[in-house]
Amino acid sequence: MIATKPNIHRLTQGLRKAVSTTATGKVVKDQKDLVSSISLAINKLQDSLTRKTASAKTVSTYLAELTWVDISDEKVKETIVGLLDSSQIWYDLELEYIETIQPVIKNGIAAREFKAYKESIEELGEAISDLRSAVITLPNSKEFNDAMNELSNLL
């Protein structure tokens, strides 16, 4: 291309249009807004995982305490079984959430919070299992009851 006056005019107009401050300013603003939105979403995710971790730890603690309660009243047993069922439903939902969120976490986003959350959900699963054994499985086990009676007779 020869740098003639019409070509220079066309080139300068094209260049001005390409680097227009209003167009560039809008792109920069859109990019800043996008980065801000992503940062807010990451912060919300981190906060959510932190809250979920605290809740799971609290529920696990309560369930662990219930494991050692002497259940001689049938109403108490029914209440605990109801709490177990509710805890199991919540636990299953949290496992689904873990699967849903894992692709984001694999990119390194909120990895520390996710690790703590996942550990707290695993502890919750163990607490549910322990309580279920103490309240439902073991009391219905002939072998367990026989062993407990033998231990009682030793005292």
Side-chain angles (χ1 to χ4, degrees):
M1 175 184 320
I2 298 176
T4 61
K5 190 172 183 173
N7 284 339
I8 290 174
H9 179 70
R10 184 180 58 76
L11 291 172
T12 55
Q13 279 187 326
L15 185 58
R16 279 192 186 114
K17 186 177 178 183
V19 295
S20 160
T21 54
T22 56
T24 305
K26 182 179 178 346
V27 168
V28 168
K29 182 186 177 315
D30 290 347
Q31 290 170 343
K32 285 181 180 178
D33 289 347
L34 178 61
V35 169
S36 178
S37 295
I38 291 170
S39 293
L40 285 172
I42 290 171
N43 288 339
K44 281 183 180 180
L45 174 62
Q46 290 171 325
D47 291 346
S48 173
L49 290 172
T50 300
R51 281 192 311 278
K52 286 175 167 284
T53 300
S55 295
K57 285 181 177 185
T58 299
V59 172
S60 294
T61 300
Y62 288 139
L63 294 176
E65 289 177 21
L66 284 172
T67 301
W68 300 105
V69 170
D70 181 26
I71 305 168
S72 53
D73 184 5
E74 192 60 34
K75 282 196 176 263
V76 171
K77 182 179 178 179
E78 288 174 12
T79 300
I80 292 174
V81 169
L83 291 171
L84 260 172
D85 291 342
S86 296
S87 297
Q88 183 69 50
I89 290 168
W90 183 52
Y91 172 73
D92 292 341
L93 288 171
E94 294 303 314
L95 289 178
E96 286 179 27
Y97 180 70
I98 287 172
E99 290 300 316
T100 301
I101 195 173
Q102 213 135 25
V104 172
I105 303 305
K106 284 182 181 177
N107 288 319
I109 296 172
R112 187 181 79 244
E113 292 84 358
F114 179 76
K115 182 179 182 221
Y117 164 68
K118 190 173 179 186
E119 288 171 359
S120 71
I121 295 302
E122 289 169 358
E123 290 170 13
L124 175 62
E126 290 172 19
I128 290 169
S129 178
D130 291 348
L131 183 57
R132 188 172 306 284
S133 291
V135 174
I136 298 169
T137 308
L138 293 177
N140 293 327
S141 167
K142 182 181 179 333
E143 293 84 17
F144 175 75
N145 288 321
D146 290 346
M148 291 304 288
N149 287 334
E150 284 183 37
L151 284 174
S152 294
N153 291 335
L154 293 175
L155 299 174

